[in-house]
Amino acid sequence: MLVGRVCRLGAAGRSCSAAASLRLFSSSSIMAKSKFEYVRSFETDDTCLRNCYIVVRLDGRNFHKFAEQHQFAKPNDDRALGLMRRSACSVMEELEDIIISYGQSDEFSFVFKKTSTWFKRRASKLMTHVASQFSSSYVFYWKEFFGEQPLLYPPGFDGRVVLYPTNRNLRDYLSWRQADCHINNLYNTVFWTLVQKGGLTTTQAEDRLKGTLASDKNEILFSEFDINYNNESALHRKGTTLIWEKRDETVSKRMKLPNEEERDVPVTRGRRKVEAYHCDIIGDQFWEEHPDILEDDNC
């Protein structure tokens, strides 16, 4: 009887049969999804604590080798530093909740505002997005700074996430990174001056600088090579600080004025732009001049 009914229904029967099969397939799919989605319970909750600045710091992986392979100038290569800055700008333009960034040598730190909800404040999402955006930008903008010099292999950057609850904590972190910039750059400046101008081997230069203080290094530069370290490039001594600033931008807009034909009219509007500074951020002056960077500690 059932077979006969299906035969009599013809095309309609085939439609009913297909619909039944579709319902069965859909039910199976739902059941399969429910069966396997338990694996999500293995994921670790890495949501960053609220009311804290989120700092993502990137460091070049094996960059000593990378610098040697690509013949970076010593002690500082302005092309490489410019490329780092451009890559960091790209990250800030992509993730506008970053309020300030600081970089030196092969590292850059990105500070997300306390109230940021990007990626639901998941540390892994924030870190991987920053690292991938920075790395891809480094490759993308390579020719802009190195011209026809080929990029021999892809650079790598590792990252970490650290939370800082107060403005003082954040400022101390940034001060630590800038102090590190000063220590490393002073050493490298003296070291390579001894090699390039003093005729020492790298081993001899290293032995010469063992146990020396900052004052000793400054004295070597000044007395032996007539170099005043304070006159060296602020980019090298202070690193790069990136912040958002409002700038007036004038553009032409085609408008029709009363009783006149259409014509181009200059229009000025405010626009946020990432600006670079090479200055002291350990003292108070920078922060007093840019009071909108830090949020209220009570937020």
Side-chain angles (χ1 to χ4, degrees), residues 200-235:
L200 300 187
T201 65
T202 54
T203 302
Q204 290 171 333
E206 187 176 347
D207 290 339
R208 174 79 188 276
L209 294 176
K210 279 182 180 178
T212 57
L213 303 176
S215 57
D216 301 321
K217 295 180 180 71
N218 275 291
E219 181 61 26
I220 291 173
L221 287 175
F222 188 74
S223 63
E224 297 184 26
F225 302 99
D226 197 27
I227 296 175
N228 185 335
Y229 180 74
N230 291 326
N231 294 334
E232 294 295 292
S233 169
L235 165 63

PDB file of all heavy atoms in Angstrom, residues 200-235:
ATOM      1  N   LEU A 200      90.111  48.101  17.199  1.00  0.00           N
ATOM      2  CA  LEU A 200      90.105  46.898  18.044  1.00  0.00           C
ATOM      3  C   LEU A 200      89.278  45.795  17.390  1.00  0.00           C
ATOM      4  O   LEU A 200      88.382  46.058  16.576  1.00  0.00           O
ATOM      5  CB  LEU A 200      89.515  47.213  19.419  1.00  0.00           C
ATOM      6  CG  LEU A 200      90.206  48.279  20.275  1.00  0.00           C
ATOM      7  CD1 LEU A 200      89.562  48.319  21.663  1.00  0.00           C
ATOM      8  CD2 LEU A 200      91.705  48.017  20.402  1.00  0.00           C
ATOM      9  N   THR A 201      89.582  44.570  17.759  1.00  0.00           N
ATOM     10  CA  THR A 201      88.727  43.461  17.346  1.00  0.00           C
ATOM     11  C   THR A 201      87.506  43.458  18.268  1.00  0.00           C
ATOM     12  O   THR A 201      87.492  44.124  19.316  1.00  0.00           O
ATOM     13  CB  THR A 201      89.455  42.121  17.473  1.00  0.00           C
ATOM     14  OG1 THR A 201      89.733  41.866  18.867  1.00  0.00           O
ATOM     15  CG2 THR A 201      90.752  42.121  16.688  1.00  0.00           C
ATOM     16  N   THR A 202      86.489  42.709  17.911  1.00  0.00           N
ATOM     17  CA  THR A 202      85.282  42.655  18.751  1.00  0.00           C
ATOM     18  C   THR A 202      85.609  42.071  20.129  1.00  0.00           C
ATOM     19  O   THR A 202      85.059  42.518  21.141  1.00  0.00           O
ATOM     20  CB  THR A 202      84.185  41.817  18.071  1.00  0.00           C
ATOM     21  OG1 THR A 202      84.699  40.530  17.732  1.00  0.00           O
ATOM     22  CG2 THR A 202      83.666  42.506  16.824  1.00  0.00           C
ATOM     23  N   THR A 203      86.514  41.109  20.170  1.00  0.00           N
ATOM     24  CA  THR A 203      86.908  40.519  21.452  1.00  0.00           C
ATOM     25  C   THR A 203      87.655  41.536  22.309  1.00  0.00           C
ATOM     26  O   THR A 203      87.417  41.650  23.524  1.00  0.00           O
ATOM     27  CB  THR A 203      87.797  39.286  21.232  1.00  0.00           C
ATOM     28  OG1 THR A 203      87.083  38.323  20.442  1.00  0.00           O
ATOM     29  CG2 THR A 203      88.190  38.654  22.559  1.00  0.00           C
ATOM     30  N   GLN A 204      88.553  42.292  21.695  1.00  0.00           N
ATOM     31  CA  GLN A 204      89.298  43.319  22.432  1.00  0.00           C
ATOM     32  C   GLN A 204      88.372  44.420  22.939  1.00  0.00           C
ATOM     33  O   GLN A 204      88.531  44.899  24.066  1.00  0.00           O
ATOM     34  CB  GLN A 204      90.380  43.918  21.519  1.00  0.00           C
ATOM     35  CG  GLN A 204      91.519  42.970  21.205  1.00  0.00           C
ATOM     36  CD  GLN A 204      92.453  43.521  20.124  1.00  0.00           C
ATOM     37  OE1 GLN A 204      92.034  44.323  19.271  1.00  0.00           O
ATOM     38  NE2 GLN A 204      93.720  43.085  20.149  1.00  0.00           N
ATOM     39  N   ALA A 205      87.404  44.811  22.119  1.00  0.00           N
ATOM     40  CA  ALA A 205      86.457  45.852  22.532  1.00  0.00           C
ATOM     41  C   ALA A 205      85.609  45.378  23.698  1.00  0.00           C
ATOM     42  O   ALA A 205      85.337  46.131  24.645  1.00  0.00           O
ATOM     43  CB  ALA A 205      85.570  46.247  21.354  1.00  0.00           C
ATOM     44  N   GLU A 206      85.223  44.122  23.651  1.00  0.00           N
ATOM     45  CA  GLU A 206      84.418  43.548  24.734  1.00  0.00           C
ATOM     46  C   GLU A 206      85.224  43.536  26.027  1.00  0.00           C
ATOM     47  O   GLU A 206      84.708  43.881  27.104  1.00  0.00           O
ATOM     48  CB  GLU A 206      83.982  42.131  24.350  1.00  0.00           C
ATOM     49  CG  GLU A 206      83.003  41.502  25.336  1.00  0.00           C
ATOM     50  CD  GLU A 206      82.508  40.146  24.880  1.00  0.00           C
ATOM     51  OE1 GLU A 206      82.728  39.793  23.701  1.00  0.00           O
ATOM     52  OE2 GLU A 206      81.916  39.435  25.714  1.00  0.00           O
ATOM     53  N   ASP A 207      86.488  43.133  25.946  1.00  0.00           N
ATOM     54  CA  ASP A 207      87.357  43.115  27.135  1.00  0.00           C
ATOM     55  C   ASP A 207      87.569  44.528  27.679  1.00  0.00           C
ATOM     56  O   ASP A 207      87.598  44.732  28.899  1.00  0.00           O
ATOM     57  CB  ASP A 207      88.717  42.489  26.791  1.00  0.00           C
ATOM     58  CG  ASP A 207      88.615  40.988  26.537  1.00  0.00           C
ATOM     59  OD1 ASP A 207      87.628  40.378  27.005  1.00  0.00           O
ATOM     60  OD2 ASP A 207      89.507  40.436  25.853  1.00  0.00           O
ATOM     61  N   ARG A 208      87.719  45.492  26.787  1.00  0.00           N
ATOM     62  CA  ARG A 208      87.939  46.881  27.200  1.00  0.00           C
ATOM     63  C   ARG A 208      86.751  47.421  27.995  1.00  0.00           C
ATOM     64  O   ARG A 208      86.924  48.223  28.926  1.00  0.00           O
ATOM     65  CB  ARG A 208      88.172  47.743  25.949  1.00  0.00           C
ATOM     66  CG  ARG A 208      88.273  49.240  26.204  1.00  0.00           C
ATOM     67  CD  ARG A 208      89.638  49.644  26.727  1.00  0.00           C
ATOM     68  NE  ARG A 208      89.657  51.035  27.137  1.00  0.00           N
ATOM     69  CZ  ARG A 208      89.855  52.063  26.306  1.00  0.00           C
ATOM     70  NH1 ARG A 208      90.048  51.835  24.998  1.00  0.00           N
ATOM     71  NH2 ARG A 208      89.882  53.295  26.770  1.00  0.00           N
ATOM     72  N   LEU A 209      85.547  46.992  27.670  1.00  0.00           N
ATOM     73  CA  LEU A 209      84.341  47.540  28.294  1.00  0.00           C
ATOM     74  C   LEU A 209      83.863  46.759  29.514  1.00  0.00           C
ATOM     75  O   LEU A 209      82.927  47.187  30.181  1.00  0.00           O
ATOM     76  CB  LEU A 209      83.198  47.605  27.264  1.00  0.00           C
ATOM     77  CG  LEU A 209      83.409  48.594  26.110  1.00  0.00           C
ATOM     78  CD1 LEU A 209      82.274  48.501  25.114  1.00  0.00           C
ATOM     79  CD2 LEU A 209      83.552  50.012  26.638  1.00  0.00           C
ATOM     80  N   LYS A 210      84.529  45.655  29.805  1.00  0.00           N
ATOM     81  CA  LYS A 210      84.111  44.864  30.975  1.00  0.00           C
ATOM     82  C   LYS A 210      84.253  45.686  32.249  1.00  0.00           C
ATOM     83  O   LYS A 210      85.305  46.275  32.512  1.00  0.00           O
ATOM     84  CB  LYS A 210      84.962  43.598  31.085  1.00  0.00           C
ATOM     85  CG  LYS A 210      84.514  42.474  30.166  1.00  0.00           C
ATOM     86  CD  LYS A 210      85.369  41.221  30.351  1.00  0.00           C
ATOM     87  CE  LYS A 210      84.918  40.107  29.424  1.00  0.00           C
ATOM     88  NZ  LYS A 210      85.775  38.897  29.546  1.00  0.00           N
ATOM     89  N   GLY A 211      83.198  45.717  33.047  1.00  0.00           N
ATOM     90  CA  GLY A 211      83.227  46.406  34.339  1.00  0.00           C
ATOM     91  C   GLY A 211      83.123  47.921  34.268  1.00  0.00           C
ATOM     92  O   GLY A 211      83.197  48.594  35.300  1.00  0.00           O
ATOM     93  N   THR A 212      82.945  48.495  33.074  1.00  0.00           N
ATOM     94  CA  THR A 212      82.861  49.960  32.970  1.00  0.00           C
ATOM     95  C   THR A 212      81.460  50.459  33.312  1.00  0.00           C
ATOM     96  O   THR A 212      80.465  49.769  33.078  1.00  0.00           O
ATOM     97  CB  THR A 212      83.219  50.430  31.547  1.00  0.00           C
ATOM     98  OG1 THR A 212      82.338  49.792  30.598  1.00  0.00           O
ATOM     99  CG2 THR A 212      84.652  50.106  31.198  1.00  0.00           C
ATOM    100  N   LEU A 213      81.402  51.656  33.855  1.00  0.00           N
ATOM    101  CA  LEU A 213      80.133  52.319  34.162  1.00  0.00           C
ATOM    102  C   LEU A 213      79.767  53.251  33.010  1.00  0.00           C
ATOM    103  O   LEU A 213      80.555  53.466  32.082  1.00  0.00           O
ATOM    104  CB  LEU A 213      80.255  53.108  35.460  1.00  0.00           C
ATOM    105  CG  LEU A 213      80.679  52.306  36.704  1.00  0.00           C
ATOM    106  CD1 LEU A 213      80.856  53.248  37.894  1.00  0.00           C
ATOM    107  CD2 LEU A 213      79.653  51.231  37.037  1.00  0.00           C
ATOM    108  N   ALA A 214      78.565  53.826  33.081  1.00  0.00           N
ATOM    109  CA  ALA A 214      78.118  54.750  32.042  1.00  0.00           C
ATOM    110  C   ALA A 214      79.092  55.917  31.902  1.00  0.00           C
ATOM    111  O   ALA A 214      79.421  56.352  30.790  1.00  0.00           O
ATOM    112  CB  ALA A 214      76.709  55.248  32.346  1.00  0.00           C
ATOM    113  N   SER A 215      79.587  56.421  33.049  1.00  0.00           N
ATOM    114  CA  SER A 215      80.520  57.551  33.012  1.00  0.00           C
ATOM    115  C   SER A 215      81.820  57.174  32.313  1.00  0.00           C
ATOM    116  O   SER A 215      82.420  57.981  31.589  1.00  0.00           O
ATOM    117  CB  SER A 215      80.808  58.032  34.438  1.00  0.00           C
ATOM    118  OG  SER A 215      81.325  56.985  35.237  1.00  0.00           O
ATOM    119  N   ASP A 216      82.264  55.930  32.521  1.00  0.00           N
ATOM    120  CA  ASP A 216      83.481  55.461  31.860  1.00  0.00           C
ATOM    121  C   ASP A 216      83.290  55.393  30.342  1.00  0.00           C
ATOM    122  O   ASP A 216      84.183  55.769  29.575  1.00  0.00           O
ATOM    123  CB  ASP A 216      83.871  54.067  32.375  1.00  0.00           C
ATOM    124  CG  ASP A 216      84.118  54.043  33.869  1.00  0.00           C
ATOM    125  OD1 ASP A 216      84.693  55.014  34.376  1.00  0.00           O
ATOM    126  OD2 ASP A 216      83.728  53.046  34.513  1.00  0.00           O
ATOM    127  N   LYS A 217      82.139  54.921  29.931  1.00  0.00           N
ATOM    128  CA  LYS A 217      81.874  54.810  28.495  1.00  0.00           C
ATOM    129  C   LYS A 217      81.804  56.190  27.857  1.00  0.00           C
ATOM    130  O   LYS A 217      82.316  56.412  26.747  1.00  0.00           O
ATOM    131  CB  LYS A 217      80.567  54.036  28.269  1.00  0.00           C
ATOM    132  CG  LYS A 217      80.617  52.576  28.728  1.00  0.00           C
ATOM    133  CD  LYS A 217      79.303  51.878  28.473  1.00  0.00           C
ATOM    134  CE  LYS A 217      79.334  50.432  28.932  1.00  0.00           C
ATOM    135  NZ  LYS A 217      79.356  50.296  30.395  1.00  0.00           N
ATOM    136  N   ASN A 218      81.138  57.129  28.540  1.00  0.00           N
ATOM    137  CA  ASN A 218      81.073  58.498  28.024  1.00  0.00           C
ATOM    138  C   ASN A 218      82.469  59.103  27.895  1.00  0.00           C
ATOM    139  O   ASN A 218      82.761  59.818  26.928  1.00  0.00           O
ATOM    140  CB  ASN A 218      80.205  59.363  28.942  1.00  0.00           C
ATOM    141  CG  ASN A 218      78.725  59.254  28.611  1.00  0.00           C
ATOM    142  OD1 ASN A 218      78.267  59.713  27.568  1.00  0.00           O
ATOM    143  ND2 ASN A 218      77.970  58.650  29.510  1.00  0.00           N
ATOM    144  N   GLU A 219      83.321  58.799  28.868  1.00  0.00           N
ATOM    145  CA  GLU A 219      84.682  59.330  28.865  1.00  0.00           C
ATOM    146  C   GLU A 219      85.494  58.762  27.699  1.00  0.00           C
ATOM    147  O   GLU A 219      86.266  59.483  27.048  1.00  0.00           O
ATOM    148  CB  GLU A 219      85.370  59.013  30.194  1.00  0.00           C
ATOM    149  CG  GLU A 219      86.794  59.556  30.313  1.00  0.00           C
ATOM    150  CD  GLU A 219      86.873  61.077  30.202  1.00  0.00           C
ATOM    151  OE1 GLU A 219      85.859  61.750  30.517  1.00  0.00           O
ATOM    152  OE2 GLU A 219      87.935  61.587  29.788  1.00  0.00           O
ATOM    153  N   ILE A 220      85.324  57.467  27.406  1.00  0.00           N
ATOM    154  CA  ILE A 220      86.029  56.853  26.278  1.00  0.00           C
ATOM    155  C   ILE A 220      85.634  57.549  24.972  1.00  0.00           C
ATOM    156  O   ILE A 220      86.486  57.901  24.152  1.00  0.00           O
ATOM    157  CB  ILE A 220      85.711  55.347  26.188  1.00  0.00           C
ATOM    158  CG1 ILE A 220      86.336  54.597  27.372  1.00  0.00           C
ATOM    159  CG2 ILE A 220      86.210  54.757  24.866  1.00  0.00           C
ATOM    160  CD1 ILE A 220      85.923  53.132  27.458  1.00  0.00           C
ATOM    161  N   LEU A 221      84.326  57.767  24.798  1.00  0.00           N
ATOM    162  CA  LEU A 221      83.845  58.412  23.575  1.00  0.00           C
ATOM    163  C   LEU A 221      84.412  59.825  23.431  1.00  0.00           C
ATOM    164  O   LEU A 221      84.867  60.222  22.353  1.00  0.00           O
ATOM    165  CB  LEU A 221      82.308  58.467  23.572  1.00  0.00           C
ATOM    166  CG  LEU A 221      81.563  57.157  23.319  1.00  0.00           C
ATOM    167  CD1 LEU A 221      80.061  57.371  23.484  1.00  0.00           C
ATOM    168  CD2 LEU A 221      81.858  56.618  21.922  1.00  0.00           C
ATOM    169  N   PHE A 222      84.384  60.573  24.553  1.00  0.00           N
ATOM    170  CA  PHE A 222      84.758  61.987  24.475  1.00  0.00           C
ATOM    171  C   PHE A 222      86.273  62.178  24.387  1.00  0.00           C
ATOM    172  O   PHE A 222      86.771  62.923  23.545  1.00  0.00           O
ATOM    173  CB  PHE A 222      84.204  62.735  25.690  1.00  0.00           C
ATOM    174  CG  PHE A 222      84.372  64.221  25.591  1.00  0.00           C
ATOM    175  CD1 PHE A 222      83.573  64.966  24.735  1.00  0.00           C
ATOM    176  CD2 PHE A 222      85.349  64.879  26.325  1.00  0.00           C
ATOM    177  CE1 PHE A 222      83.727  66.341  24.629  1.00  0.00           C
ATOM    178  CE2 PHE A 222      85.515  66.250  26.225  1.00  0.00           C
ATOM    179  CZ  PHE A 222      84.701  66.981  25.371  1.00  0.00           C
ATOM    180  N   SER A 223      87.008  61.488  25.254  1.00  0.00           N
ATOM    181  CA  SER A 223      88.460  61.718  25.327  1.00  0.00           C
ATOM    182  C   SER A 223      89.225  61.064  24.184  1.00  0.00           C
ATOM    183  O   SER A 223      90.249  61.580  23.735  1.00  0.00           O
ATOM    184  CB  SER A 223      89.002  61.215  26.670  1.00  0.00           C
ATOM    185  OG  SER A 223      88.809  59.813  26.792  1.00  0.00           O
ATOM    186  N   GLU A 224      88.753  59.934  23.686  1.00  0.00           N
ATOM    187  CA  GLU A 224      89.486  59.215  22.651  1.00  0.00           C
ATOM    188  C   GLU A 224      88.966  59.469  21.231  1.00  0.00           C
ATOM    189  O   GLU A 224      89.721  59.344  20.263  1.00  0.00           O
ATOM    190  CB  GLU A 224      89.451  57.713  22.943  1.00  0.00           C
ATOM    191  CG  GLU A 224      90.138  57.337  24.249  1.00  0.00           C
ATOM    192  CD  GLU A 224      90.171  55.837  24.481  1.00  0.00           C
ATOM    193  OE1 GLU A 224      90.141  55.085  23.466  1.00  0.00           O
ATOM    194  OE2 GLU A 224      90.219  55.409  25.650  1.00  0.00           O
ATOM    195  N   PHE A 225      87.678  59.839  21.128  1.00  0.00           N
ATOM    196  CA  PHE A 225      87.107  59.985  19.784  1.00  0.00           C
ATOM    197  C   PHE A 225      86.380  61.318  19.583  1.00  0.00           C
ATOM    198  O   PHE A 225      85.761  61.530  18.534  1.00  0.00           O
ATOM    199  CB  PHE A 225      86.140  58.819  19.497  1.00  0.00           C
ATOM    200  CG  PHE A 225      86.788  57.470  19.606  1.00  0.00           C
ATOM    201  CD1 PHE A 225      86.646  56.708  20.760  1.00  0.00           C
ATOM    202  CD2 PHE A 225      87.569  56.969  18.568  1.00  0.00           C
ATOM    203  CE1 PHE A 225      87.257  55.464  20.867  1.00  0.00           C
ATOM    204  CE2 PHE A 225      88.173  55.730  18.668  1.00  0.00           C
ATOM    205  CZ  PHE A 225      88.026  54.969  19.822  1.00  0.00           C
ATOM    206  N   ASP A 226      86.449  62.189  20.602  1.00  0.00           N
ATOM    207  CA  ASP A 226      85.816  63.507  20.516  1.00  0.00           C
ATOM    208  C   ASP A 226      84.322  63.402  20.189  1.00  0.00           C
ATOM    209  O   ASP A 226      83.775  64.179  19.401  1.00  0.00           O
ATOM    210  CB  ASP A 226      86.518  64.373  19.469  1.00  0.00           C
ATOM    211  CG  ASP A 226      86.188  65.853  19.637  1.00  0.00           C
ATOM    212  OD1 ASP A 226      85.879  66.265  20.765  1.00  0.00           O
ATOM    213  OD2 ASP A 226      86.218  66.591  18.619  1.00  0.00           O
ATOM    214  N   ILE A 227      83.659  62.435  20.809  1.00  0.00           N
ATOM    215  CA  ILE A 227      82.220  62.224  20.599  1.00  0.00           C
ATOM    216  C   ILE A 227      81.474  62.511  21.895  1.00  0.00           C
ATOM    217  O   ILE A 227      81.765  61.908  22.938  1.00  0.00           O
ATOM    218  CB  ILE A 227      81.926  60.772  20.157  1.00  0.00           C
ATOM    219  CG1 ILE A 227      82.559  60.490  18.794  1.00  0.00           C
ATOM    220  CG2 ILE A 227      80.421  60.516  20.101  1.00  0.00           C
ATOM    221  CD1 ILE A 227      82.417  59.036  18.342  1.00  0.00           C
ATOM    222  N   ASN A 228      80.553  63.440  21.835  1.00  0.00           N
ATOM    223  CA  ASN A 228      79.678  63.731  22.977  1.00  0.00           C
ATOM    224  C   ASN A 228      78.411  62.893  22.796  1.00  0.00           C
ATOM    225  O   ASN A 228      77.623  63.128  21.881  1.00  0.00           O
ATOM    226  CB  ASN A 228      79.335  65.218  23.022  1.00  0.00           C
ATOM    227  CG  ASN A 228      78.533  65.591  24.270  1.00  0.00           C
ATOM    228  OD1 ASN A 228      77.859  64.749  24.852  1.00  0.00           O
ATOM    229  ND2 ASN A 228      78.605  66.856  24.662  1.00  0.00           N
ATOM    230  N   TYR A 229      78.237  61.923  23.676  1.00  0.00           N
ATOM    231  CA  TYR A 229      77.102  60.996  23.516  1.00  0.00           C
ATOM    232  C   TYR A 229      75.772  61.731  23.493  1.00  0.00           C
ATOM    233  O   TYR A 229      74.835  61.318  22.794  1.00  0.00           O
ATOM    234  CB  TYR A 229      77.110  59.956  24.643  1.00  0.00           C
ATOM    235  CG  TYR A 229      75.979  58.965  24.543  1.00  0.00           C
ATOM    236  CD1 TYR A 229      75.989  57.963  23.580  1.00  0.00           C
ATOM    237  CD2 TYR A 229      74.880  59.040  25.405  1.00  0.00           C
ATOM    238  CE1 TYR A 229      74.942  57.055  23.471  1.00  0.00           C
ATOM    239  CE2 TYR A 229      73.832  58.136  25.309  1.00  0.00           C
ATOM    240  CZ  TYR A 229      73.861  57.152  24.338  1.00  0.00           C
ATOM    241  OH  TYR A 229      72.824  56.256  24.227  1.00  0.00           O
ATOM    242  N   ASN A 230      75.670  62.831  24.235  1.00  0.00           N
ATOM    243  CA  ASN A 230      74.408  63.572  24.286  1.00  0.00           C
ATOM    244  C   ASN A 230      74.048  64.208  22.951  1.00  0.00           C
ATOM    245  O   ASN A 230      72.904  64.621  22.741  1.00  0.00           O
ATOM    246  CB  ASN A 230      74.472  64.654  25.363  1.00  0.00           C
ATOM    247  CG  ASN A 230      74.505  64.059  26.757  1.00  0.00           C
ATOM    248  OD1 ASN A 230      73.900  63.020  27.009  1.00  0.00           O
ATOM    249  ND2 ASN A 230      75.236  64.700  27.657  1.00  0.00           N
ATOM    250  N   ASN A 231      75.028  64.302  22.052  1.00  0.00           N
ATOM    251  CA  ASN A 231      74.766  64.862  20.731  1.00  0.00           C
ATOM    252  C   ASN A 231      74.396  63.796  19.708  1.00  0.00           C
ATOM    253  O   ASN A 231      74.104  64.117  18.552  1.00  0.00           O
ATOM    254  CB  ASN A 231      75.980  65.651  20.227  1.00  0.00           C
ATOM    255  CG  ASN A 231      76.248  66.888  21.055  1.00  0.00           C
ATOM    256  OD1 ASN A 231      75.331  67.445  21.669  1.00  0.00           O
ATOM    257  ND2 ASN A 231      77.502  67.330  21.086  1.00  0.00           N
ATOM    258  N   GLU A 232      74.419  62.538  20.125  1.00  0.00           N
ATOM    259  CA  GLU A 232      74.009  61.467  19.228  1.00  0.00           C
ATOM    260  C   GLU A 232      72.507  61.559  18.961  1.00  0.00           C
ATOM    261  O   GLU A 232      71.758  62.176  19.717  1.00  0.00           O
ATOM    262  CB  GLU A 232      74.356  60.102  19.837  1.00  0.00           C
ATOM    263  CG  GLU A 232      75.852  59.844  19.968  1.00  0.00           C
ATOM    264  CD  GLU A 232      76.545  59.760  18.614  1.00  0.00           C
ATOM    265  OE1 GLU A 232      76.294  58.794  17.873  1.00  0.00           O
ATOM    266  OE2 GLU A 232      77.332  60.678  18.296  1.00  0.00           O
ATOM    267  N   SER A 233      72.040  60.924  17.904  1.00  0.00           N
ATOM    268  CA  SER A 233      70.635  60.993  17.502  1.00  0.00           C
ATOM    269  C   SER A 233      69.691  60.599  18.641  1.00  0.00           C
ATOM    270  O   SER A 233      69.889  59.576  19.309  1.00  0.00           O
ATOM    271  CB  SER A 233      70.389  60.066  16.307  1.00  0.00           C
ATOM    272  OG  SER A 233      69.010  59.912  16.057  1.00  0.00           O
ATOM    273  N   ALA A 234      68.667  61.428  18.851  1.00  0.00           N
ATOM    274  CA  ALA A 234      67.670  61.126  19.885  1.00  0.00           C
ATOM    275  C   ALA A 234      66.923  59.832  19.563  1.00  0.00           C
ATOM    276  O   ALA A 234      66.490  59.109  20.468  1.00  0.00           O
ATOM    277  CB  ALA A 234      66.688  62.287  20.021  1.00  0.00           C
ATOM    278  N   LEU A 235      66.778  59.533  18.285  1.00  0.00           N
ATOM    279  CA  LEU A 235      66.152  58.273  17.879  1.00  0.00           C
ATOM    280  C   LEU A 235      66.886  57.091  18.484  1.00  0.00           C
ATOM    281  O   LEU A 235      66.262  56.142  18.991  1.00  0.00           O
ATOM    282  CB  LEU A 235      66.147  58.172  16.350  1.00  0.00           C
ATOM    283  CG  LEU A 235      65.868  56.791  15.732  1.00  0.00           C
ATOM    284  CD1 LEU A 235      64.468  56.325  16.097  1.00  0.00           C
ATOM    285  CD2 LEU A 235      66.048  56.844  14.219  1.00  0.00           C
TER     286      LEU A 235
END
